[in-house]
């Protein structure tokens, strides 16, 4: 490709043709402030904060949009540029409720940081105000008054997730970013993945707050408050307190939860091990039915991502039979806390309050599903995102970084490494294969370090094949069988795979899908990160948690073994079906299948 | 648009309407950026673009409903509610305003039981506030279809509307 030469602030730089001025400046360490632009996600040119002066051009140009060209002379900090930038920012603020002091985004808000760094010391304009309304869905809250119309969420929802819920509606001052016809999120086919929340620079998109009910339960002496944490939380929570991305803070997190006075601190990982036992068994049942009777819904598709489950209910209701019936791990643990553990304590499940700390916004909706309760009592009472837990820790004045390391509580605190990797795309598949392969052949999964290399990347769709040979007698039907698996994360790849299944063209037997591109480590409830390597770093954190454990296969979990022996019976048995499995609702793309 | 004769499909069955829209969609298939034309012709068929039609077009063109609805709400010539039998337009330009236009708005709202911008439930009247109608000397003014009613007083509103 051809290079072009230009100077920026007098410094010469050569960049490939097509490079924007912004990227060229970055290459030589010149920072140009931006607001609507988001690297690799969104280029829109709407906010004009990134304007620069190009010699010979009449107007200032948006550096995030305009390509560098031969001989260009760019100034990024001239008087004219600085004035224009300030003015554009001031104009944005004139249509913004400036109530930072009582705004939960304060401190991590990109608009606030920008206004601050531009040295805005007053807001001169009082202008017309855009629509002001709040749409509170079970998972995601839209606060229109705070929206700066940058449209990052539109790009994520339409181009990356390809769900297409959010778009600009109306025009001029009446423009809002909303679902079709301005409908609330709860009335459309939103998956609640929360990817839009993660890119919103301000407080216009956020998780629907669950702090109040949790504080209330903690203050209620009659309530036994059980908390559990998902794998992905432990490698991200530290970022909220200034630690580098991916730092495992499992021990500090347990300390913090104890300091917050939760009664029992359990690990969702326990249930991830159970999920593997249940889902692995379910897969073997389906494979047997398919191979010996020629009928069974294959491929089986994983069900631990509630955003993904809702996506299937809307877009592929005809394929719900392919979705594993396993509840997601935290729902399993909630159900066990209110049955097995309540029995142990001699407690009334109605007096227990289960809180799940999750990297996920979709789980806030999941806990409200009618099928996720027993005798009118919900399996899980509240879901906090990683960000919300950080807010609680700050609110309680806990010095997180200097906390000692502590452990989870028994009996639901010890898990295997297989459970840790649930938090990253490919992890559920790898964990399942470690167990299924060993159950069937009696031998360890033949991969270096137990990592299934072909699926350990962030490519949109990865696949692998595993052949079963010299199987144990009870699995004779699998002798010589090659299991084809696929792994994807984000809805774009998942849609492709499901279309193959619908068309009868899928060669796969088992497909893992996570709703968020990269898996739970970048779920809609995780700390927003400016680190471009955040996915890799958080994954490395989870792999190190896995590798430092002696037990790395779910079927070796002593807790799972005890649970089956004392309480559940066998995987996919009667009791597990009652507590650990679920069913789904056909919704249809526009909710047309839901019976009102 | 308001001058147009009634949509050609009045009396057509619902399936016939969707068949016709299908033809329109097929005509423009493969043409990126033709959504506006499709919506235009669909509106000619139905008179307006109700949610069912929007969903139908979105599905056929493999677009998200929010994209389709975004385009419709951007352009004022698209309508998402059925066209009323009679359209009332009242001017609130300076002249009409100072000569009591607002009182007339109130009187009409009271008479019809709906707010400006809405249609009456029986779809007999639509009611909109518009820019200057160019009859400032006759203020306050409002129009019902093509008839101009000039120098109106609030008490006259009832009689005028009763004529339609
Ligand atoms: S969104 Fe940002 S700028 Fe707006 S009130 Fe909140 S913290 Fe302040
Ligand atoms: S939660 Fe996911 S599906 Fe829903 S609007 Fe946001 S990005 Fe789109
Ligand atoms: S909701 Fe947030 S991300 Fe979406 S346009 Fe508004 S400010 Fe931008
Ligand atoms: S960052 Fe370039 S226009 Fe917004």
């Amino acid at each position: 490709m051809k290079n072009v030469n230009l100077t920026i602030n007098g410094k010469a730089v050569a960049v490939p043709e097509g490079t924007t001025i912004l990227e060229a400046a970055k290459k030589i360490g010149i920072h140009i402030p931006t607001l609507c632009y988001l690297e690799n996600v969104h280029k829109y040119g709407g906010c004009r904060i990134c304007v620069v002066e190009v010699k010979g051009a009449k107007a200032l140009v948006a550096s995030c949009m305009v390509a560098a060209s031969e001989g260009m002379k760019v100034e990024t900090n001239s008087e004219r540029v600085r004035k224009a930038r300030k003015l554009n920012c001031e104009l944005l603020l004139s249509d913004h409720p400036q109530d930072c002091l009582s705004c939960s985004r304060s401190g991590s808000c990109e608009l606030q940081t920008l206004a601050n760094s531009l040295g805005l010391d007053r807001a001169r304009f009082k202008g017309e105000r855009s629509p002001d309304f709040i749409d509170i869905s079970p998972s995601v809250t839209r606060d229109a008054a705070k929206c700066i119309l940058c449209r990052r969420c539109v790009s994520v929802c339409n181009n990356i997730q390809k769900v297409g819920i959010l778009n600009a509606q109306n025009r001029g001052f009446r423009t809002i970013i909303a679902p079709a016809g301005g409908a609330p999120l709860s009335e459309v086919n939103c998956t609640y993945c929360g990817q839009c929340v993660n890119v919103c620079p301000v407080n216009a998109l956020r998780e629907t707050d669950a702090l109040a009910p949790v504080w209330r339960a903690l203050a209620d002496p009659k309530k036994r408050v059980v908390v559990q944490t998902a794998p992905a939380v432990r490698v991200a929570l530290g970022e909220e307190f200034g630690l580098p991305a991916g730092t495992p803070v499992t021990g500090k997190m347990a300390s913090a939860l104890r300091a917050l006075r939760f009664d029992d601190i359990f690990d969702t990982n326990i249930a991830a091990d159970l999920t593997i036992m249940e889902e692995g068994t379910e897969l073997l049942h389906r494979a047997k039915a398919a191979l010996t009777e020629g009928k069974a819904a294959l491929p089986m598709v994983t069900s631990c991502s509630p955003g993904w489950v809702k996506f299937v209910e809307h877009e592929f209701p005809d394929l719900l039979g392919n979705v594993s019936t396993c509840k997601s791990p935290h729902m399993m643990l909630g159900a066990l806390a209110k049955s097995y553990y309540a029995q142990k304590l001699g407690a009334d499940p109605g007096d227990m309050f289960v809180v799940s700390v999750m990297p996920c916004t979709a789980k806030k909706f999941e806990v409200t599903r009618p099928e996720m309760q027993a005798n009118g009592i919900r399996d899980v009472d509240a879901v906090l995102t990683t960000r919300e837990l950080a807010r609680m820790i700050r609110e309680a004045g806990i010095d997180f970084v200097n906390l000692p390391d502590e452990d989870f509580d028994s009996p639901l605190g010890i898990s295997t490494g297989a459970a840790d990797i649930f938090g990253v795309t490919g992890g559920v598949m790898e964990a399942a294969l470690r167990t299924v392969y060993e159950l069937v052949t009696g031998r360890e999964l033949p991969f270096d370090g137990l990592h299934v290399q072909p699926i350990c990347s962030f490519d949109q769709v990865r696949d692998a094949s595993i052949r079963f040979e010299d199987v144990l007698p009870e699995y004779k039907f699998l002798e010589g069988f090659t299991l084809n698996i696929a792994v994807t994360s984000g809805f774009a790849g998942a849609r492709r795979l499901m279309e193959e299944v619908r068309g009868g063209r899928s060669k796969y037997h088992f497909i893992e899908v996570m709703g968020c591109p990269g898996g739970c480590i970048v779920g809609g409830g995780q700390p927003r990160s400016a680190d471009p390597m955040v996915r890799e770093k958080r994954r490395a954190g989870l792999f190190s948690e896995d590798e430092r454990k002696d037990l790395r296969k779910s079927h070796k979990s002593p807790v799972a073994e005890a649970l089956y022996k004392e309480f559940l019976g066998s995987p996919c048995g009667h009791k597990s079906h009652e507590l650990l499995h679920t069913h789904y609702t056909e919704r249809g793309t526009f909710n047309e299948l839901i019976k009102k | 648009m308001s001058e147009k004769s009634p949509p050609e499909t009045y009396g057509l069955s619902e399936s016939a309407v969707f068949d016709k829209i299908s033809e329109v969609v097929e005509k423009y298939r493969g043409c990126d950026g033709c959504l506006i034309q499709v919506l235009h012709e669909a509106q000619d068929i139905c008179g307006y673009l109700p949610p069912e039609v929007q969903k139908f077009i979105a599905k056929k063109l493999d677009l998200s409903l929010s994209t389709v609805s975004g385009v419709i709400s951007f352009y004022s010539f698209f309508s998402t509610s059925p066209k009323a039998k009679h359209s009332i337009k009242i001017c609130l330009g300076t002249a009409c305003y100072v000569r009591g236009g607002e009182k007339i708005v109130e009187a009409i709202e009271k008479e019809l039981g709906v707010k400006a911008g809405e249609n009456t439930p029986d779809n007999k009247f639509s009611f909109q506030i518009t820019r200057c109608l160019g009859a400032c000397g006759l203020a306050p003014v409002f129009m019902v279809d093509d008839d101009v009613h000039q120098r109106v007083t609030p008490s006259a509103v009832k009689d005028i509307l009763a004529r339609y």
Side-chain angles (χ1 to χ4, degrees):
Chain A
M1 194 187 270
K2 231 178 84 195
N3 266 356
V4 295
N5 299 288
L6 66 159
T7 67
I8 305 177
N9 299 351
K11 266 194 190 173
V13 55
V15 290
E17 215 169 15
T19 309
T20 61
I21 299 175
L22 180 72
E23 289 157 344
K26 194 174 165 197
K27 198 175 160 197
I28 46 171
I30 294 176
H31 171 73
I32 301 174
T34 53
L35 186 57
C36 63
Y37 171 80
L38 192 61
E39 196 177 342
N40 297 329
V41 174
H42 183 57
K43 236 165 117 168
Y44 171 63
C47 75
R48 302 195 58 84
I49 292 297
C50 67
V51 287
V52 295
E53 199 168 349
V54 172
K55 200 159 180 202
K58 258 219 208 95
L60 299 178
V61 305
S63 63
C64 71
M65 299 297 289
V66 175
S69 62
E70 187 61 40
M72 224 180 207
K73 287 192 170 48
V74 179
E75 287 296 333
T76 73
N77 269 321
S78 64
E79 173 82 3
R80 189 171 159 218
V81 166
R82 278 186 293 111
K83 277 203 171 139
R85 225 174 248 157
K86 268 193 178 177
L87 181 68
N88 292 344
C89 189
E90 261 187 286
L91 285 171
L92 273 172
L93 291 178
S94 74
D95 185 17
H96 193 85
Q98 295 161 43
D99 51 0
C100 301
L101 277 181
S102 54
C103 177
S104 59
R105 201 55 210 272
S106 186
S108 72
C109 171
E110 294 179 39
L111 178 59
Q112 191 187 45
T113 312
L114 179 79
N116 218 303
S117 71
L118 292 183
L120 282 195
D121 46 10
R122 62 208 160 137
R124 284 177 298 174
F125 310 122
K126 287 235 165 357
E128 196 175 334
R129 280 291 174 84
S130 306
D132 172 1
F133 62 86
I134 290 200
D135 167 24
I136 302 176
S137 80
S139 291
V140 173
T141 294
R142 295 163 52 226
D143 186 344
K146 299 256 153 118
C147 176
I148 57 169
L149 301 177
C150 71
R151 299 176 199 218
R152 286 182 183 178
C153 56
V154 173
S155 282
V156 164
C157 188
N158 290 270
N159 305 341
I160 296 183
Q161 290 294 56
K162 295 208 195 296
V163 188
I165 300 303
L166 295 174
N167 260 300
Q169 311 290 328
N170 309 328
R171 67 164 157 182
F173 256 102
R174 289 179 51 242
T175 306
I176 53 170
I177 305 299
L185 282 176
S186 59
E187 282 176 17
V188 296
N189 49 326
C190 171
T191 65
Y192 295 142
C193 69
Q195 289 301 301
C196 53
V197 172
N198 279 5
V199 297
C200 183
V202 289
N203 213 17
L205 286 171
R206 55 182 185 255
E207 60 271 79
T208 295
D209 205 307
L211 259 53
V214 175
W215 284 124
R216 216 178 307 128
L218 285 169
D220 183 344
K222 285 198 301 291
K223 289 273 181 215
R224 176 118 191 165
V225 190
V226 174
V227 67
Q228 55 169 321
T229 63
V233 177
R234 64 203 64 183
V235 292
L237 180 63
E239 293 163 39
E240 287 276 332
F241 301 95
L243 296 173
T247 314
V249 291
T250 319
K252 290 187 195 304
M253 180 177 69
S255 297
L257 292 168
R258 209 157 276 130
L260 285 168
R261 308 306 296 263
F262 284 98
D263 294 301
D264 299 284
I265 297 150
F266 291 154
D267 194 347
T268 308
N269 280 10
I270 301 292
D273 281 329
L274 291 177
T275 303
I276 291 305
M277 298 305 293
E278 295 292 327
E279 211 168 62
T281 309
E282 188 184 350
L283 176 67
L284 290 171
H285 285 174
R286 288 191 192 222
K288 184 168 184 186
L291 291 169
T292 59
E293 297 151 35
K295 59 163 198 275
L298 282 179
M300 182 174 93
V301 187
T302 56
S303 57
C304 12
S305 164
W308 159 241
V309 166
K310 194 159 182 278
F311 179 86
V312 183
E313 290 177 328
H314 285 295
E315 309 265 342
F316 295 92
D318 48 321
L319 298 180
L320 281 170
N322 289 71
V323 180
S324 160
T325 57
C326 289
K327 285 183 183 172
S328 70
H330 85 116
M331 296 302 327
M332 288 193 182
L333 198 89
L336 286 170
K338 292 196 179 179
S339 56
Y340 167 78
Y341 187 56
Q343 257 176 44
K344 261 195 176 224
L345 291 173
D348 177 353
D351 289 336
M352 299 182 80
F353 192 90
V354 176
V355 180
S356 300
V357 182
M358 298 285 127
C360 180
T361 43
K363 292 194 169 84
K364 286 178 181 267
F365 165 74
E366 186 187 28
V367 298
T368 67
R369 283 173 177 261
E371 50 286 11
M372 297 293 180
Q373 39 183 280
N375 312 317
I377 296 175
R378 279 192 189 174
D379 293 345
V380 171
D381 298 278
V383 171
L384 295 172
T385 61
T386 310
R387 293 187 296 258
E388 285 178 298
L389 174 60
R391 273 169 57 203
M392 281 186 81
I393 293 172
R394 279 194 287 268
E395 201 174 319
I398 296 167
D399 177 11
F400 184 81
V401 177
N402 292 311
L403 285 174
D405 285 347
E406 291 180 11
D407 286 326
F408 289 105
D409 289 321
S410 51
L412 302 173
I414 302 172
S415 60
T416 72
D420 283 303
I421 58 174
F422 256 64
V424 59
T425 175
V428 178
M429 180 60 76
E430 181 171 313
L433 292 179
R434 286 182 193 175
T435 287
V436 168
Y437 190 84
E438 199 162 317
L439 285 182
V440 171
T441 64
R443 299 182 305 273
E444 217 172 50
L445 187 66
F447 279 101
D448 213 17
L450 290 179
H451 293 313
V452 184
Q453 286 314 328
I455 58 171
C456 291
S457 79
F458 287 120
D459 294 346
Q460 196 178 66
V461 175
R462 291 94 68 199
D463 61 5
S465 301
I466 285 154
R467 198 174 144 82
F468 294 102
E469 274 164 349
D470 299 323
V471 299
L472 297 174
E474 64 261 48
Y475 294 105
K476 265 225 319 277
F477 61 94
L478 284 175
E479 184 63 46
F481 176 72
T482 302
L483 182 77
N484 295 325
I485 57 150
V487 170
T488 191
S489 60
F491 299 124
R495 188 190 289 278
R496 241 168 66 205
L497 289 172
M498 291 304 268
E499 258 149 23
E500 280 175 28
V501 176
R502 186 180 264 166
R505 287 174 279 119
S506 180
K507 62 170 179 177
Y508 301 114
H509 304 108
F510 189 18
I511 300 177
E512 177 205 294
V513 183
M514 293 189 192
C516 296
C520 312
I521 46 172
V522 287
Q526 289 283 66
R528 298 173 174 95
S529 176
D531 185 340
M533 296 298 283
V534 63
R535 291 199 300 190
E536 286 76 5
K537 289 180 182 168
R538 288 179 186 164
R539 176 179 59 186
L542 283 181
F543 275 13
S544 77
E545 288 283 282
D546 166 29
E547 282 152 14
R548 83 182 165 83
K549 289 192 179 160
D550 299 329
L551 299 170
R552 297 186 55 206
K553 300 170 235 167
S554 297
H555 56 286
K556 301 284 183 196
S557 154
V559 177
E561 201 185 358
L563 271 167
Y564 281 113
K565 210 153 110 205
E566 286 174 40
F567 187 69
L568 287 169
S570 59
C572 290
H574 177 69
K575 193 118 200 167
S576 341
H577 259 289
E578 193 186 307
L579 290 169
L580 310 183
H581 290 254
T582 185
H583 55 271
Y584 305 110
T585 309
E586 293 187 10
R587 295 177 196 272
T589 319
F590 305 123
N591 281 321
E592 66 272 26
L593 300 179
I594 295 221
K595 292 171 193 74
K596 286 255 160 74
Chain B
M1 289 292 289
S2 59
E3 282 11 285
K4 256 193 168 167
S5 50
E8 48 182 303
T9 51
Y10 276 6
L12 274 187
S13 72
E14 197 175 302
S15 70
V17 167
F18 283 109
D19 284 349
K20 283 192 153 229
I21 299 176
S22 280
E23 282 171 29
V24 172
V25 171
E26 290 317 318
K27 186 164 84 189
Y28 291 105
R29 184 166 294 286
C31 157
D32 282 347
C34 283
L35 177 59
I36 295 184
Q37 272 93 320
V38 171
L39 293 172
H40 241 305
E41 293 189 25
Q43 176 156 297
D44 282 346
I45 294 168
C46 314
Y48 69 113
L49 295 167
E52 287 319 310
V53 170
Q54 298 182 30
K55 287 175 187 176
F56 182 82
I57 293 172
K59 241 185 193 153
K60 284 254 164 193
L61 287 177
D62 204 10
L63 290 170
S64 70
L65 183 58
S66 63
T67 307
V68 173
S69 120
V71 169
I72 292 171
S73 58
F74 188 86
Y75 295 102
S76 53
F77 48 76
F78 290 128
S79 165
T80 54
S81 46
K83 222 174 91 198
K85 206 154 160 231
H86 301 288
S87 91
I88 305 174
K89 289 192 187 121
I90 180 158
C91 166
L92 276 189
T94 318
C96 288
Y97 189 85
V98 295
R99 302 194 55 174
E102 249 185 333
K103 289 263 165 352
I104 310 296
V105 171
E106 278 166 27
I108 297 176
E109 285 181 345
K110 199 162 144 234
E111 190 54 37
L112 300 180
V114 295
K115 292 244 165 287
E118 296 172 351
N119 289 10
T120 53
D122 61 0
N123 240 340
K124 188 164 175 202
F125 292 105
S126 66
F127 174 32
Q128 248 138 12
I129 293 173
T130 59
R131 282 172 296 140
C132 182
L133 294 168
C136 304
L138 309 171
V141 177
F142 76 91
M143 286 180 81
V144 181
D145 300 334
D146 292 338
D147 314 334
V148 181
H149 300 276
Q150 42 185 288
R151 296 215 173 100
V152 218
T153 57
S155 55
V157 164
K158 192 178 171 143
D159 282 348
I160 295 174
L161 294 184
R163 287 183 226 152
Y164 294 91

